[in-house]
């Protein structure tokens, strides 16, 4: 995949040996770039372009922006919806279909039993696998702790997005401000090992890490 921003000369790529990062020291430019990135994520015209094999990709489907690194929420609605959809398919496949129908029948009979003494006939009109899955509150277990736990949670999240949705480009905003250099370096190396594509966007310069390929836009908008 390739990512470009029309205001800059740099072409961001991922080759499996390093990860691209960008430092934007000019506050106005930093904000303008993020506005364009969010516009692309929301499906509006943007100066940001993502491509693969010379084909323009829909950024609404192929990127995620992560800017929250304190109590990162792994239970995002988009991911949970994909998981629930996969569970629904599993419940209705050839190996689970009979059990699923038996469960639906048990629930339907339970409704009849609960309303037996009523002077009216009650029927469960919305009894279905999707309704059951939504009603029981499907969530991912969230028991990560400590400084490294937050990074582990983000890595797990990226793996789940890959499993239940697709490979995406993850844009991290000012991530370096929250984690020690050694933890961030380990995180980046794990991303490379698992072939995750990330672009770290920072508003100030930190020490360059191993496997980092950095571009800087300084206060005078010089690019180097």
């Amino acid at each position: 995949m390739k990512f470009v921003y029309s205001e800059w000369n740099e072409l961001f790529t991922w080759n499996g040996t390093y990860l691209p990062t960008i430092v934007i020291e000019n506050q106005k430019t930093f904000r303008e770039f993020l506005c364009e990135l969010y516009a692309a994520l929301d499906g509006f015209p943007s100066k940001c372009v993502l491509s693969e094999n010379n084909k323009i990709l829909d950024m609404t489907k192929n990127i995620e922006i992560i800017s929250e690194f304190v109590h990162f929420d792994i239970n995002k609605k988009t991911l949970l919806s994909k998981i629930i959809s996969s569970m629904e398919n599993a419940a209705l496949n050839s190996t689970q279909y009979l059990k699923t129908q038996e469960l639906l029948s048990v629930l339907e009979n339970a409704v009849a039993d609960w309303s037996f003494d009523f002077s009216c006939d009650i029927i469960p009109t919305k009894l279905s696998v999707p309704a059951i899955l939504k009603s029981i509150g499907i969530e991912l277990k969230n028991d990560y702790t400590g400084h490294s736990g937050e990074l582990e949670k983000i890595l797990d999240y990226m793996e789940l997005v890959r499993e239940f949705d697709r490979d995406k480009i993850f844009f991290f905003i000012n991530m370096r401000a929250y984690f020690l250099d050694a933890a961030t370096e380990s995180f980046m190396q794990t991303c490379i090992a698992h072939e995750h594509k990330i672009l770290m966007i920072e508003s100030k310069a930190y020490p360059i890490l191993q496997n980092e390929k950095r571009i800087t836009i300084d206060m005078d908008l010089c690019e180097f």
Side-chain angles (χ1 to χ4, degrees):
M1 287 186 181
K2 301 175 182 178
F3 174 77
V4 296
Y5 179 56
S6 63
E7 298 295 314
W8 303 329
N9 297 320
E10 184 71 13
L11 174 67
F12 297 94
T13 60
W14 295 263
N15 68 356
T17 59
Y18 64 81
L19 291 172
T21 67
I22 181 167
V23 175
I24 309 172
E25 297 177 343
N26 185 288
Q27 295 95 326
K28 181 174 180 290
T29 301
F30 183 80
R31 183 181 184 279
E32 287 174 348
F33 172 63
L34 292 186
C35 286
E36 291 291 332
L37 191 60
Y38 275 103
L41 179 62
D42 292 336
F44 294 106
S46 171
K47 297 178 181 179
C48 300
V49 177
L50 184 68
S51 65
E52 186 173 30
N53 299 324
N54 297 318
K55 180 182 178 181
I56 303 298
L57 299 179
D58 183 352
M59 292 186 68
T60 65
K61 297 178 180 179
N62 290 282
I63 74 166
E64 286 202 28
I65 301 172
I66 297 179
S67 59
E68 179 57 66
F69 300 100
V70 178
H71 299 300
F72 172 77
D73 184 13
I74 194 173
N75 284 295
K76 295 185 180 294
K77 289 183 179 180
T78 51
L79 176 58
L80 292 179
S81 294
K82 296 290 184 181
I83 292 175
I84 289 172
S85 178
S86 295
M87 291 181 70
E88 179 184 351
N89 291 335
L92 297 175
N93 67 24
S94 57
T95 59
Q96 295 292 330
Y97 183 80
L98 183 59
K99 285 185 178 180
T100 301
Q101 295 306 310
E102 289 175 350
L103 173 61
L104 294 175
S105 179
V106 167
L107 291 173
E108 186 173 7
N109 290 334
V111 170
D113 291 340
W114 298 336
S115 60
F116 180 78
D117 293 329
F118 295 178
S119 60
C120 56
D121 293 328
I122 304 295
I123 56 173
T125 61
K126 296 183 179 180
L127 181 59
S128 65
V129 173
I132 293 172
L133 291 173
K134 290 179 181 179
S135 67
I136 62 177
I138 295 294
E139 284 191 359
L140 295 163
K141 190 174 181 180
N142 188 3
D143 58 355
Y144 302 85
T145 58
H147 186 74
S148 61
E150 206 73 9
L151 289 174
E152 182 184 353
K153 186 194 303 186
I154 293 171
L155 284 167
D156 286 348
Y157 175 77
M158 291 193 293
E159 289 287 345
L160 290 169
V161 169
R162 167 182 284 169
E163 179 180 354
F164 291 101
D165 191 355
R166 65 179 71 197
D167 275 309
K168 294 185 178 183
I169 307 292
F170 292 89
F171 293 82
F172 294 102
I173 314 300
N174 278 334
M175 180 178 178
R176 295 290 298 273
Y178 295 88
F179 303 102
L180 297 173
D181 292 349
T184 305
E185 187 167 77
S186 177
F187 173 84
M188 293 176 69
Q189 290 172 350
T190 302
C191 286
I192 292 172
H194 289 258
E195 299 183 346
H196 287 300
K197 298 176 177 64
I198 70 172
L199 176 59
M200 297 174 64
I201 305 161
E202 303 291 332
S203 58
K204 62 172 287 187
Y206 293 89
I208 294 181
L209 304 176
Q210 185 180 3
N211 304 115
E212 175 185 357
K213 182 182 179 183
R214 178 184 295 180
I215 175 178
T216 299
I217 310 294
D218 68 13
M219 290 297 296
D220 299 321
L221 305 185
C222 295
E223 181 178 334
F224 58 92

